[in-house]
């Protein structure tokens, strides 16, 4: 483990020919690497691997739910699928995918050579495959079936080995996420290039500061809860087991103390990505830089004091329900600021409707629905009705899928040229978007109504009156499944056959676009120069010739400003 | 746009019927939120769709848009409006919640976590000492109807995967719940194994039912009818089958039902296989197993 900060050494090799940059060999991506770019891609590919597994499990669940009877899979197995789907999607897909972009982008965006602790970074990544494989292995002797929340006493009585494996793997994955977070904070705070003050840092870095803070504060509490749960499970203690005088509600508080912030851990990185993507493709500065940056911090702080809104109908006394209602309502304000600022960023711009941009707009329009239903859920009297129903399932998929996953695809399309040096195929990207957007809404929109009407969640068998809408959801989920094919084909095709990207195909201003695509091993050939703010679009409205070199542009800008 | 929001807020048709006054109030709250949400939805989606058409980049145009980096008055407006909205929503929700009895300090005698008897005799669990008055867990009596009316008390016990209702006044024990219309009903609830949740969708009320603790719900039905009772907390494989019926009856019908059941229980001693005190879970569940899809294996596992 490296404990010294490796400062950006001012080595400037003579500018080599375009194609002779030293590049990583393919096998380095399969081994222990300390290069943040390799690690970022390792995270991303691993996350996608688990996404396909988690998605396949969801398709089995949706197939089961196309009829009211538990005929396709046994209810017990359904609960295993449910638990594994939730756990995989959160801990092996969205959280690692956020870390992927953080790893890849932070050092490039702040003009550093690597992360503050490169070896620790490698270790953090290499905890994920064992954690994931461990979790998967539980399928062989009874996967956990108490839901991703794993509330005792149910989690103590439904399959010991699966539950213990679940706990261990979450502990491993949680530790990995903490190590990553330490690295992000240190890197962002200490390794920015000399002229970049904190207010000229790209917004993605702000959002990763907020995310990392939450990870560092929340994860230990989850760890503690799971270790105690594990004692109850194996050693027969009774911290949470009412059969021995324990209190299951304390587990819920500890669990949600992490897991509410965790939903922001899962969305904030993509808020950051959206703030990067919109200005580039709208050719306009981000609207309200400081407002967006500070609302990330506000969300992060408020996110720590809203956890019991998941427990409004649990063992929570009335006055506490009112307190958490108030804090939850307030969190809508910074979130609203962001959404409005993003809309204002697009307004009056010159929009290129490419895959990255339309996924970003898809993000805005779906996340909006998740946010509006979120404010409704903050209202205790209403939440009491819909808690633990399909309304909630709809709400959190609008946030996690409509928000995080759409944001993630936008980010993949936006930074693919940087990561690989090749452009993606736009037609396939747009087909991917249309199918995803339609499939997503058909799958999850009707679930709001199901929940309001009386369909509870986490069930393998349901009342026949709900069959029609469930059928609709299932059809939607098949469209979603199909939508991944254009994506996969696109990625593989573009990797080999895509048009060469050049350093800055989007004519973007953040620093990662000032180096080669893919970037050279230590990121920049020479000290990068901060010649414009990250979002200074339109300041120099003259048309910029695509072939012009960054150096020429630089010279032009410096001479103009003198 | 305002008109559409107002109309949709009232006519979304998303909620099932409301069978109590409280439910009506929750619906009004929901309609109010739905109105605001529809308005905001149309506004934001409208801006997005309009922009996609209006501000599309012309082919060959490589210039940038106007360098607008912010607009302080505008930002103040869109910070202030949501703030005011959530403030109003909070006050309104607080009001409704209070009227539903959510802040009734005497609602329950939750004595905090208790040692749970390690047996399958549910009656012992229900008989927790509730003399210590503590903060309510759940909904109590609504402040308006506090004086005068004495609520009908029913003890509720949730076990995998059934509900057991005990009427202390008459000693009736049943797997279905019958209540008279227009009289407050107070449920004192606990669970025998894992956490369940007692949900009455037509009454818009729900409360977790927790082993070793007592939680409460008070409601007053205002419509005669039959309504589903649903478990809304994952409690095991057949969680989806854990449901029963609530019958709201007229005073007379209800009295008749109580009488029939008291009589039946006295006569047969064992009652209609409805008395879990003398039956194990397995025997108790057998009659229901068919409807719930519980197979023989599951039942066998329950055998002590
Ligand atoms: C392929 C599209 C997806 C489909 C069809 C799908 C479907 C489902 C279904 C049917 C459930 C069960 C709901 C219940 O009974 O409570 C569920 C639960 C869940 N899903 Fe998804 N989902 C999808 C994608 C995602 C994504 C992308 C995420 C996260 C990033 C996610 C996170 C979750 C979580 C956390 C749960 C809760 C698990 C639990 O209750 O323990 N899902 N999903
Ligand atoms: Cu939360
Ligand atoms: Cu249940």
């Amino acid at each position: 483990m490296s404990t010294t900060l490796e400062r950006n050494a001012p080595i400037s090799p003579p500018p080599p020919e375009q194609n002779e940059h030293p590049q990583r060999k393919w096998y380095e991506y399969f081994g222990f690497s300390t290069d943040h770019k390799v690690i970022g891609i390792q995270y991303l590919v691993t996350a996608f691997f688990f996404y396909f597994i988690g998605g396949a499990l969801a398709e089995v669940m949706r197939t089961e739910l196309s009829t009211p009877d538990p005929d396709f899979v046994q209810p017990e197995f359904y609960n295993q699928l449910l638990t594994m789907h939730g756990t995989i999607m959160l801990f092996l897909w969205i959280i690692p995918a956020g870390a992927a972009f953080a790893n890849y982008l932070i050092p490039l965006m702040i003009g550093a050579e690597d992360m503050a602790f490169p070896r620790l970074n490698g270790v953090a990544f290499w905890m994920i495959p064992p954690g994931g494989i461990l979790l998967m292995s539980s399928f062989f002797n009874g996967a956990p079936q108490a839901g991703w929340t794993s509330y005792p006493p149910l989690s103590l009585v439904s399959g010991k080995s699966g539950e213990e494996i679940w706990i261990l793997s979450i502990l491993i994955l949680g530790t990995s996420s903490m190590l990553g977070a330490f690295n992000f904070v240190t890197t962002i705070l200490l390794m920015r290039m000399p002229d970049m003050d904190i207010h000229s840092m790209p917004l993605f870095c702000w959002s990763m500061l907020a995310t990392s803070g939450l990870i560092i504060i929340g994860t230990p509490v989850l760890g503690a809860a799971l270790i105690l749960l594990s004692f109850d499970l194996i050693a027969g203690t009774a911290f949470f087991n009412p059969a021995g005088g324990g209190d299951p509600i304390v587990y819920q508080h500890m669990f949600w103390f992490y897991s509410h912030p965790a939903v922001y851990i899962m969305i904030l990185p993509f808020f950051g990505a959206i703030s990067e993507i919109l200005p580039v493709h709208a050719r306009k500065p981000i609207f309200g830089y400081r407002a967006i940056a500070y609302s990330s911090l506000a969300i992060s702080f408020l996110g720590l004091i809203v956890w019991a809104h998941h427990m409004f109908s649990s063992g929570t006394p009335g006055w506490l329900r009112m307190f958490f209602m108030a804090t939850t309502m307030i969190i809508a304000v910074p979130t609203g600021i962001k959404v409005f600022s993003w809309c204002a960023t697009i307004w009056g711009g010159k929009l290129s409707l490419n895959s990255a941009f339309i996924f970003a707009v898809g993000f805005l329009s779906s996340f909006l629905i998740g946010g509006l239903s979120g404010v409704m859920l903050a209202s205790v009297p209403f939440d009491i009705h819909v808690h633990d129903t399909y309304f909630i399932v709809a709400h959190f998929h609008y946030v996690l899928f409509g928000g995080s996953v759409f944001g993630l695809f936008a980010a993949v399309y936006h930074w693919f040229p940087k990561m690989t040096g090749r452009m993606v195929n736009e037609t396939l990207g747009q087909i991917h978007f249309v199918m995803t957007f339609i499939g997503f809404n058909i799958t999850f929109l009707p679930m709001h109504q199901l929940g309001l009407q009386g369909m509870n969640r986490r069930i393998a068998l349901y009342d026949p009156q709900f069959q029609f809408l469930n059928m609709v959801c299932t059809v939607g989920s098949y469209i979603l499944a199909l939508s991944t094919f254009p994506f996969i084909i696109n990625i593989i095709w573009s990797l080999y056959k895509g048009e060469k990207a050049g350093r800055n195909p989007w004519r973007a201003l953040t620093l990662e676009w000032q180096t080669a695509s893919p970037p050279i091993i230590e990121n920049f050939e020479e000290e990068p120069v901060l010649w414009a703010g990250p979002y200074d679009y339109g300041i120099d409205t003259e048309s910029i010739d695509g072939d012009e070199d960054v150096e020429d542009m630089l010279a032009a800008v410096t001479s103009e400003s003198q | 746009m305002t008109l559409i929001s107002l109309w949709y807020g009232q006519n979304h048709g998303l909620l099932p019927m409301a069978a109590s006054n409280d439910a009506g109030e929750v619906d009004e709250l929901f309609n109010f939120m739905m109105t605001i949400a529809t308005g905001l939805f149309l506004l934001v989606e409208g801006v997005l769709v309009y922009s996609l058409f209006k501000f599309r980049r012309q082919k060959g145009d490589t210039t940038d848009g106007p360098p607008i980096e912010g607009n302080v008055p505008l930002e103040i407006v869109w910070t202030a409006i949501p703030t005011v909205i959530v403030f109003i929503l909070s006050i309104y929700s607080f009001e409704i919640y209070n009227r539903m009895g959510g802040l009734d300090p005497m609602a329950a005698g939750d004595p905090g976590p208790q040692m749970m008897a390690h047996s399958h005799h549910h009656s012992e669990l229900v008989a927790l000492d509730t003399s210590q008055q503590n903060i309510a867990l759940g909904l109590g009596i609504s402040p308006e109807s506090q004086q005068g009316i004495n609520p009908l008390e029913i003890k509720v016990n949730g076990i995998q995967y059934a509900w057991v209702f005990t009427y202390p006044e008459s000693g009736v024990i049943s797997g279905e719940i019958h209540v008279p219309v227009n009289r407050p009903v107070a449920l004192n609830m606990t669970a025998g194994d894992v956490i369940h949740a007692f949900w009455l969708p037509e009454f818009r009320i729900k409360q977790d039912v927790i082993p070793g603790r007592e939680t409460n719900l008070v409601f007053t039905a205002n419509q005669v009818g039959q309504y589903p009772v649903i478990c809304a907390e994952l409690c095991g494989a057949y969680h989806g089958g854990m449901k029963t019926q609530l019958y709201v009856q007229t005073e007379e019908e209800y009295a008749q039902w109580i009488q029939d059941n008291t009589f039946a229980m006295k006569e047969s001693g064992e009652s209609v296989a409805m008395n879990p005190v003398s039956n194990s879970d397995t025997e108790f569940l057998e009659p229901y197993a068919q409807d719930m899809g519980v197979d023989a294996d599951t039942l066998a596992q329950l055998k002590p």
Side-chain angles (χ1 to χ4, degrees):
Chain A
M1 195 200 295
S2 149
T3 44
T4 49
L5 296 184
E6 286 153 39
R7 282 295 310 193
N8 208 1
I11 356 154
S12 36
E17 288 300 327
Q18 259 280 288
N19 283 323
E20 283 178 19
H21 294 311
Q23 283 296 337
R24 295 287 176 194
K25 304 279 180 304
W26 64 270
Y27 52 80
E28 292 184 66
Y29 289 89
F30 292 87
F32 186 91
S33 172
T34 54
D35 180 339
H36 73 100
K37 298 187 292 304
V38 175
I39 295 175
I41 289 181
Q42 289 176 325
Y43 265 105
L44 194 59
V45 173
T46 312
F48 265 103
F49 172 76
F50 284 110
Y51 176 49
F52 296 134
I53 295 180
L57 301 183
E59 296 302 329
V60 179
M61 282 154 68
R62 276 307 340 159
T63 306
E64 160 56 45
L65 291 172
S66 58
T67 58
D69 293 327
D71 37 18
F72 184 65
V73 295
Q74 283 299 304
E76 196 155 302
F77 186 57
Y78 179 88
N79 286 1
Q80 300 182 356
L81 294 171
L82 168 77
T83 308
M84 294 293 271
H85 164 74
T87 310
I88 290 171
M89 287 297 191
L90 304 183
F91 291 99
L92 290 163
W93 159 237
I94 281 298
I95 295 182
F101 286 101
N103 265 299
Y104 197 91
L105 295 174
I106 289 174
L108 285 168
M109 283 182 163
I110 62 175
E113 215 166 69
D114 206 314
M115 296 288 253
F117 311 112
R119 246 152 296 167
L120 192 64
N121 205 16
V123 172
F125 168 73
W126 278 107
M127 296 177 80
I128 291 186
I133 292 167
L134 181 65
L135 185 68
M136 296 314 220
S137 73
S138 69
F139 266 127
F140 294 106
N141 63 348
Q145 41 178 303
W148 85 278
T149 50
S150 218
Y151 280 4
L154 182 65
S155 52
L156 300 173
V157 296
S158 56
K160 267 204 166 76
S161 71
E163 188 61 31
E164 188 56 35
I165 289 178
W166 181 86
I167 292 175
L168 288 176
S169 90
I170 301 293
L171 287 175
I172 296 174
L173 298 171
T175 311
S176 150
S177 152
M178 294 244 309
L179 298 182
F182 279 123
N183 231 330
F184 303 147
V185 176
T186 322
T187 309
I188 295 171
L189 292 182
L190 299 180
M191 298 187 50
R192 287 193 312 274
M193 56 186 289
D195 343 344
M196 186 185 279
D197 70 25
I198 201 149
H199 288 115
S200 48
M201 175 169 94
L203 285 164
F204 180 77
C205 299
W206 277 98
S207 73
M208 282 317 299
L209 268 188
T211 309
S212 306
L214 288 176
I215 294 177
I216 292 168
I217 297 171
T219 317
V221 180
L222 176 71
L226 294 185
I227 289 170
L228 295 182
L229 186 67
S230 182
F231 285 143
D232 277 9
L233 190 68
I234 304 179
T237 53
F239 294 106
F240 304 130
N241 192 347
D247 188 348
I249 306 303
V250 175
Y251 172 85
Q252 297 182 8
H253 279 292
M254 292 176 80
F255 179 83
W256 287 113
F257 184 85
Y258 165 77
S259 294
H260 183 80
V263 309
Y264 294 106
I265 294 171
M266 294 170 221
I267 193 80
L268 277 169
F270 303 104
F271 280 181
I274 293 295
S275 303
E276 299 302 327
I277 295 165
L278 291 179
V280 175
H281 302 286
R283 309 311 303 166
K284 257 188 79 204
I286 190 87
F287 193 97
Y289 175 94
R290 288 198 183 208
I292 294 185
Y294 297 156
S295 31
S296 288
L297 298 187
I299 289 176
S300 164
F301 170 73
L302 289 169
L304 287 168
I305 51 168
V306 298
W307 76 86
H309 65 207
H310 297 270
M311 301 166 59
F312 281 155
S313 65
S314 169
T316 314
W319 62 271
L320 208 58
R321 295 180 184 186
M322 293 298 108
F323 172 78
F324 282 101
M325 171 168 84
T327 53
T328 307
M329 290 273 182
I330 296 172
I331 214 167
V333 175
T335 315
I337 292 177
K338 288 196 170 215
V339 172
F340 293 132
S341 304
W342 288 323
C343 290
T345 304
I346 298 178
W347 188 266
K350 300 196 169 174
L351 317 178
S352 314
L353 305 188
N354 52 33
S355 312
F357 185 76
I358 51 179
F359 263 103
V361 174
F363 162 97
L364 278 179
S365 72
S366 325
F367 178 76
L368 174 71
I369 297 180
L372 291 173
S373 60
V375 177
M376 295 182 177
L377 292 171
S379 166
V380 173
F382 175 66
D383 179 70
I384 286 182
H385 176 52
V386 293
H387 175 73
D388 254 319
T389 69
Y390 261 83
F391 190 88
I392 300 287
V393 179
H395 159 71
F396 70 69
H397 281 97
Y398 265 89
V399 176
L400 282 169
F401 198 127
S404 306
V405 178
F406 274 73
L408 193 150
F409 278 123
V412 168
Y413 284 116
H414 182 73
W415 280 292
F416 185 88
K418 181 51 55 183
M419 292 176 171
T420 63
R422 306 226 179 220
M423 304 301 284
V424 287
N425 179 306
E426 275 303 324
T427 316
L428 282 172
Q430 286 169 10
I431 295 174
H432 175 214
F433 172 77
V434 172
M435 287 177 74
T436 312
F437 193 74
I438 293 176
F440 165 74
N441 282 295
I442 296 181
T443 310
F444 295 109
L445 197 64
M447 290 185 184
H448 290 105
Q449 184 174 357
L450 283 172
L452 288 166
Q453 296 278 339
M455 180 166 165
N456 47 347
R457 69 186 271 215
R458 294 174 162 174
I459 53 174
L461 54 162
Y462 59 87
D463 197 298
Q465 62 163 311
F466 300 126
Q467 173 156 20
F468 174 71
L469 286 179
N470 271 292
M471 199 63 186
V472 174
C473 299
T474 301
V475 170
S477 78
Y478 293 155
I479 301 180
L480 265 183
L482 291 178
S483 76
T484 42
F485 290 102
F487 173 72
I488 298 172
I489 295 170
N490 195 355
I491 292 300
I492 295 174
W493 185 86
S494 306
L495 211 48
Y496 296 102
K497 297 271 161 65
E499 191 190 321
K500 284 255 188 312
R503 2 183 114 216
N504 194 355
W506 309 130
R507 298 183 296 125
L509 294 177
T510 40
L511 287 182
E512 76 271 26
W513 302 102
Q514 276 193 32
T515 181
S517 303
I520 58 167
I521 283 182
E522 301 213 304
N523 293 351
F524 298 95
E525 292 140 47
E526 46 202 84
E527 284 277 303
V529 187
L530 201 61
W531 56 278
Y535 310 107
D536 286 348
Y537 297 101
I539 308 286
D540 175 20
T541 40
E542 267 164 57
S543 103
I544 297 165
D545 186 12
D547 294 334
E548 213 172 349
D549 234 350
V550 180
E551 277 74 22
D552 300 339
M553 280 157 50
L554 222 168
V557 172
T558 23
S559 61
E560 247 168 54
S561 62
Q562 270 154 11
Chain B
M1 202 173 82
T2 322
L3 286 178
I4 298 178
S5 318
L6 284 173
W7 179 83
Y8 191 66
Q10 297 298 326
N11 298 286
H12 48 72
L14 292 173
L15 287 163
M17 74 163 290
S20 72
N21 293 338
D22 286 350
E25 292 187 340
V26 174
D27 290 1
E28 270 166 39
L29 171 64
F30 176 68
N31 292 348
F32 176 66
M33 296 194 295
M34 200 64 191
T35 308
I36 297 177
T38 311
L40 285 170
F41 175 81
L42 292 176
L43 177 75
V44 176
E45 302 289 354
V47 166
L48 291 177
V49 172
Y50 179 82
S51 307
L52 286 184
F53 287 100
K54 182 81 206 307
F55 303 122
R56 188 182 297 204
R57 186 170 63 93
Q58 303 302 311
K59 259 217 154 59
D61 179 0
T62 50
T63 56
D64 287 349
I68 304 164
E69 295 189 335
N71 180 329
V72 176
L74 192 59
E75 287 172 58
I76 291 176
V77 168
W78 72 44
T79 309
I81 290 178
T83 311
V84 172
I85 292 177
V86 299
F87 190 73
I88 295 173
L89 266 186
S90 302
I91 308 259
Y92 186 10
S93 306
F94 180 90
E95 260 304 302
I96 301 282
Y97 189 63
N98 188 29
R99 263 191 268 164
M100 291 168 80
L103 298 169
D104 173 13
M106 292 305 169
D110 172 47
Q114 295 275 303
M115 185 74 164
M116 194 179 117
H118 211 101
S119 81
H120 284 277
H121 293 270
H122 315 294
S123 52
E124 284 175 35
L125 294 174
V126 183
L128 284 174
D129 173 22
T130 53
S131 56
Q132 298 157 268
Q133 288 291 321
N134 232 317
I135 295 171
L137 283 185
L139 298 174
I141 300 180
S142 105
E144 285 138 46
S145 63
Q146 208 135 33
Q147 321 88 344
I149 314 152
N150 71 316
L152 168 68
E153 254 188 67
I154 304 175
K155 297 200 184 281
V156 178
N157 194 14
I159 52 169
Q160 280 171 332
Y161 303 97
W163 296 104
V164 182
F165 302 96
T166 313
Y167 292 72
E169 285 169 25
S170 54
V172 170
I173 296 174
S174 168
E176 287 165 346
I177 175 168
H178 290 245
V179 302
V181 70
N182 290 329
R183 173 166 172 206
V185 177
L187 305 178
N188 299 329
M189 311 188 289
T190 192
D193 35 43
V194 298
I195 301 176
H196 304 272
F198 187 91
W199 181 30
L200 295 173
E202 277 75 11
F203 294 74
R204 317 281 187 266
I205 55 174
K206 178 183 294 125
Q207 172 58 46
D208 281 11
V209 176
I210 304 164
R213 278 215 177 178
E214 192 183 273
T215 55
N216 301 76
L217 276 182
V218 177
F219 64 93
T220 312
N222 66 6
Q223 306 246 7
V224 172
Q226 178 187 345
Y227 308 100
V229 175
I230 297 173
C231 173
E233 180 66 53
L234 177 61
C235 59
Y238 287 90
H239 167 54
M242 181 165 170
K243 47 179 114 166
T244 183
Q245 297 293 322
L246 165 75
Y247 294 91
V248 178
Q249 299 172 311
T250 59
E251 276 295 342
E252 301 80 55
E253 278 171 345
Y254 171 73
Q256 186 63 40
W257 180 79
I258 288 283
Q259 210 187 352
D260 292 351
N261 279 272
T262 322
F263 185 65
M265 284 174 68
K266 285 215 187 87
E267 195 162 73
S268 66
E270 278 277 298
S271 89
V272 265
M274 283 279 192
N275 189 344
V277 178
S278 47
N279 283 353
S280 74
D281 279 353
T282 327
E283 291 163 55
F284 174 74
L285 276 178
E286 245 142 16
Y288 298 104
Q290 206 67 35
D291 317 337
M292 286 193 305
V294 181
D295 52 28
D297 290 353
T298 322
L299 278 180
Q301 281 168 13
L302 281 169
K303 286 218 165 82

